[in-house]
Amino acid sequence: MSLLAGLSWQVSPANDFGEIHNWDELLYFFNHTLPECHMKLREDTKQVTLFVLYLAIFVVGLVENLLVICVNWRCLGRGGLLNLYIFNMAIADLGIILSLPVWMLEVMLDYTWLWGSFSCRFTHYFYFANMYSSIFFLVCLSIDRYVTLTNASPSWQRHEHRMRRAVCAGVWVLSAIIPLPEVVHIQLVESSEPMCLFMAPFETYNTWALVVALFTTVLGFMLPFPLLVIFNVLTACRLRREGWPEGRRHCLLVCAYVAVFAICWLPYHVTLLLLTLHGTHVSLHCYLVRLLYFFYDIIDCFSMFHCVANPILYNFLSPRFRNQLLSTVVHYLPKVRARGDRRASSSSSSSTQHSIIITKEGAQPAARQLPHPSLPLRLS
């Protein structure tokens, strides 16, 4: 976010920088030497669109991820093979969701930052750390799902839970380290209006910007996406080959996993690289540059759609998760009813158990368990 805000000043000729000695002079220089591309782009319309998108993602993502965390928290100790990755991914997605109100206000204030220098760095750090965590847990889930399907050795089964906990801890540590090269150069710039921007050393700004952009693209897309594709395709092929009853459904889910990841992240990284390389390594047409800068914030906002899509793809489409969600609701619902009407406790308890009581005249009551379909491998 702040990286592109800083890069937006690089559209003027670099060979005129010799007469500039500090960032204040640079701000003035860029504000008066932008290329003349007369395009009617409505900033007010963009701000309203961004606010609506941020608000929709915030509301829906908050509800979804809280439900996923609640349900998987109750099921972590009960044999859910891959619940740990899904649980941690939901926490990371929730962290991204919780940072959205700041971006909403920043957009509506025309990118004026009113919350001080510490929050300028911390908010970006918090967002990027959770962004990488969410992507890495998604990759770990895809790899572990295939390994669990193909590896039946007693050694793996004995140590799989310990290995998963170690992997999750490693992902959080790695995700906490990766954003540091960018965050250390994020500063609160006090110009006419305070702005939170990526401000690397003046003499090496282009190099730093390129390194950070490549770093983000490689770790955030170029490495995770092939791994996601390979292991999901291998899992789908293995299920089809072994004749699983829902093999076709799982193949469709695999296509959805890959497509959603590509749709959310590919436009963001392509735009980031083009704008970073512009002016130093490639030359883009003036109108294209204007369009990329104008739509970058919308593309960046759209990349957060994965916080809404992940709970649906990896939780709500699973019959097993839906039964667990119903079980969680049923677990807490009788307590509320009991407080309101203690006299109806006998009837309410019979209606909220996980069984159906069938009685006939002259026959003993019989209990039949509600169906709780689950596969030995959680695939969705």
Side-chain angles (χ1 to χ4, degrees):
M1 293 182 178
S2 58
L3 176 59
L4 258 294
L7 287 172
S8 63
W9 297 331
Q10 295 190 57
V11 291
S12 51
N15 55 7
D16 295 334
F17 288 172
E19 299 177 359
I20 299 173
H21 305 288
N22 56 54
W23 284 111
D24 291 331
E25 294 180 8
L26 182 67
L27 291 174
Y28 179 85
F29 176 76
F30 280 134
N31 286 334
H32 292 80
T33 55
L34 290 175
E36 302 252 345
C37 289
H38 300 287
M39 299 182 67
K40 294 182 179 180
L41 299 174
R42 296 288 301 272
E43 286 291 335
D44 54 345
T45 303
K46 185 179 88 167
Q47 289 178 344
V48 173
T49 302
L50 280 173
F51 183 84
V52 172
L53 288 175
Y54 277 135
L55 184 61
I57 294 173
F58 176 78
V59 173
V60 178
L62 184 67
V63 173
E64 288 182 347
N65 286 285
L66 284 176
L67 286 175
V68 171
I69 291 172
C70 180
V71 171
N72 283 282
W73 173 258
R74 294 189 67 236
C75 302
L76 280 179
R78 290 196 257 139
L81 287 175
L82 304 175
N83 281 22
L84 190 59
Y85 293 124
I86 293 176
F87 176 76
N88 281 274
M89 184 169 63
I91 293 177
D93 287 340
L94 182 63
I96 297 174
I97 293 295
L98 293 178
S99 69
L100 290 186
V102 178
W103 312 130
M104 292 166 59
L105 290 174
E106 186 187 27
V107 166
M108 296 308 295
L109 294 171
D110 199 19
Y111 302 97
T112 301
W113 190 269
L114 303 178
W115 303 282
S117 178
F118 173 78
S119 63
C120 170
R121 287 185 173 179
F122 178 78
T123 304
H124 283 84
Y125 176 79
F126 185 76
Y127 168 79
F128 285 120
N130 283 285
M131 181 194 77
Y132 285 115
S133 298
S134 177
I135 293 172
F136 293 161
F137 282 123
L138 195 57
V139 174
C140 291
L141 175 64
S142 302
I143 296 174
D144 198 327
R145 187 164 47 196
Y146 177 72
V147 172
T148 302
L149 182 65
T150 58
N151 193 343
S153 66
S155 175
W156 165 252
Q157 294 176 354
R158 278 197 307 270
H159 301 291
E160 57 180 338
H161 293 296
R162 187 182 305 169
M163 289 288 295
R164 289 191 182 100
R165 285 193 290 268
V167 169
C168 289
V171 166
W172 283 115
V173 172
L174 182 63
S175 300
I177 296 174
I178 290 176
L180 292 178
E182 178 173 355
V183 173
V184 295
H185 292 114
I186 291 177
Q187 299 178 22
L188 184 64
V189 179
E190 298 285 355
S191 56
S192 58
E193 295 178 347
M195 300 179 69
C196 188
L197 301 174
F198 177 82
M199 303 295 281
F202 180 79
E203 297 79 7
T204 57
Y205 185 90
N206 287 337
T207 302
W208 269 106
L210 180 59
V211 169
V212 169
L214 289 175
F215 201 60
T216 301
T217 300
V218 170
L219 293 179
F221 187 81
M222 293 181 67
L223 287 180
F225 184 66
L227 291 174
L228 193 71
V229 173
I230 291 171
F231 282 97
N232 275 295
V233 170
L234 289 175
T235 300
C237 292
R238 182 64 178 257
L239 293 176
R240 291 291 295 270
R241 189 166 61 249
E242 294 185 357
W244 279 53
E246 295 187 354
R248 186 175 181 275
R249 173 179 173 269
H250 294 312
C251 289
L252 293 176
L253 281 175
V254 164
C255 295
Y257 297 157
V258 174
V260 168
F261 189 87
I263 290 172
C264 288
W265 289 112
L266 184 59
Y268 168 79
H269 289 289
V270 170
T271 305
L272 177 65
L273 284 178
L274 285 176
L275 292 178
T276 305
L277 293 172
H278 171 67
T280 55
H281 297 80
V282 297
S283 180
L284 302 177
H285 193 276
C286 175
Y287 290 102
L288 177 58
V289 174
R290 287 287 190 177
L291 287 173
L292 290 177
Y293 278 121
F294 181 80
F295 286 105
Y296 172 79
D297 293 316
I298 297 177
I299 294 171
D300 183 28
C301 175
F302 189 75
S303 70
M304 299 180 192
F305 178 72
H306 72 93
C307 297
V308 175
N310 285 345
I312 297 174
L313 291 175
Y314 295 92
N315 293 276
F316 290 99
L317 290 181
S318 168
R320 184 171 183 267
F321 176 83
R322 293 198 296 270
N323 280 316
Q324 291 172 345
L325 177 60
L326 179 62
S327 174
T328 302
V329 173
V330 169
H331 176 76
Y332 291 107
L333 189 59
K335 297 180 181 179
V336 179
R337 287 182 177 176
R339 292 178 193 141
D341 189 7
R342 295 182 179 276
R343 280 181 271 182
S345 60
S346 59
S347 61
S348 64
S349 62
S350 63
S351 65
T352 55
Q353 297 296 321
H354 289 279
S355 59
I356 300 176
I357 307 299
I358 303 175
T359 59
K360 290 184 179 180
E361 187 177 352
Q364 294 293 329
R368 179 163 57 101
Q369 293 292 329
L370 283 177
H372 188 80
S374 61
L375 297 175
L377 175 68
R378 183 172 184 170
L379 291 163
S380 59

